[in-house]
Amino acid sequence: MKVAVLVSGRGSNMQAILDACADSAYPAEVAVVISNIAGAPALERAENAGVKTVTIPHKDYPDRETFDQRVTEEIEAAGCELVVLAGFMRLLSEQFCEHWRDRLINIHPSLLPSFKGLDVHERMIAAGVRFGGCTVHYVRHEMDTGPIIAQAAVPIHPGDDADTLAARILEQEHVIYPLAVKWIAEGRVRISGEAVKVSGARAPVGALVNYQDA
Ligand code: GAR
């Protein structure tokens, strides 16, 4: 399955997917990486992996719809069937989300539907929750919503700050994102109402308990 990855920054999730693609048994291939930010580190990583990159600076476009239309043109020109948002820090228009409905996925560094939006690590620590995590989900127009494909939970430790927590969550992001793309490419993923069913996938199933001593 040909995949387009949309990035704005560092690109570590994109890298995790590229690394997975290096295995000939992996059922997806990144055909194009698109950035709205010129010089984003993710672009160099993609070039190093021999993947085509396109920069579409959003500031060059009069409105969100025109920018999104340009992005769609590039994705379609590359023949992609799946669009993967990997640290793409720009809201997408309703038109774009509808065009790519059920073919557009995102990763977010929280256990959605908790902690949507920005500064999630700081907010989780301030709220005193005992677990954080990450979520791969299909994208709906409303920010950080849509049917959930996979989640991973990590404990939040008493001494954590936003950086240590972000690093712990990121490690899990790099596990579940390539896994979710694999499941989709293998045709295992079905959306049923607002829920997602994955058939025949192998992943650890378990329960976690975490608390903070007084
Ligand atoms: C990741 O932590 C991702 O979950 C987050 O941005 C980071 C991008 O890192 N995405 C969002 O917050 C989207 N709402 P990366 O560029 O190294 O993959």
Side-chain angles (χ1 to χ4, degrees):
M1 175 179 270
K2 285 191 178 178
V3 168
V5 183
L6 272 53
V7 295
S8 299
R10 178 176 60 182
S12 72
N13 277 290
M14 176 207 69
Q15 186 71 59
I17 293 167
L18 288 174
D19 291 348
C21 290
D23 180 346
S24 60
Y26 193 77
E29 147 196 12
V30 178
V32 67
V33 170
I34 300 171
S35 173
N36 64 316
I37 306 286
L43 291 167
E44 197 182 330
R45 289 181 182 236
E47 279 153 21
N48 289 341
V51 172
K52 180 187 172 183
T53 62
V54 181
T55 301
I56 308 176
H58 59 269
K59 288 184 182 143
D60 292 357
Y61 293 81
D63 52 44
R64 205 174 286 283
E65 285 73 19
T66 319
F67 167 80
D68 288 357
Q69 185 51 41
R70 178 80 194 84
V71 173
T72 288
E73 281 165 19
E74 285 294 342
I75 300 167
E76 288 178 345
C80 297
E81 295 172 72
L82 179 70
V83 183
V84 172
L85 305 180
F88 185 69
M89 302 310 273
R90 222 181 131 64
L91 290 176
L92 291 158
S93 60
E94 188 160 11
Q95 201 180 314
F96 186 93
C97 295
E98 280 308 308
H99 181 85
W100 293 104
R101 191 181 175 88
D102 300 346
R103 299 181 296 162
L104 172 62
I105 63 174
N106 181 45
I107 190 156
H108 181 76
S110 77
L111 294 170
L112 291 173
S114 294
F115 300 103
K116 296 171 180 170
L118 297 173
D119 303 324
V120 293
H121 308 98
E122 286 91 332
R123 289 194 284 125
M124 280 189 267
I125 289 170
V129 295
R130 297 291 175 260
F131 284 98
C134 47
T135 303
V136 179
H137 64 99
Y138 283 104
V139 173
R140 297 292 180 253
H141 177 233
E142 220 179 304
M143 187 184 63
D144 296 326
T145 62
I148 291 168
I149 303 165
Q151 292 186 308
V154 304
I156 297 177
H157 299 316
D160 272 334
D161 59 22
D163 290 340
T164 57
L165 179 57
R168 192 173 308 120
I169 293 174
L170 194 64
E171 207 174 302
Q172 297 305 314
E173 295 186 41
H174 297 164
V175 173
I176 64 168
Y177 218 2
L179 200 56
V181 170
K182 178 174 185 280
W183 291 340
I184 292 169
E186 288 173 343
R188 297 183 188 281
V189 179
R190 188 169 53 84
I191 302 173
S192 161
E194 277 313 293
V196 169
K197 306 266 163 62
V198 182
S199 60
R202 290 210 197 113
V205 174
L208 297 169
V209 179
N210 186 34
Y211 71 100
Q212 192 167 319
D213 252 342

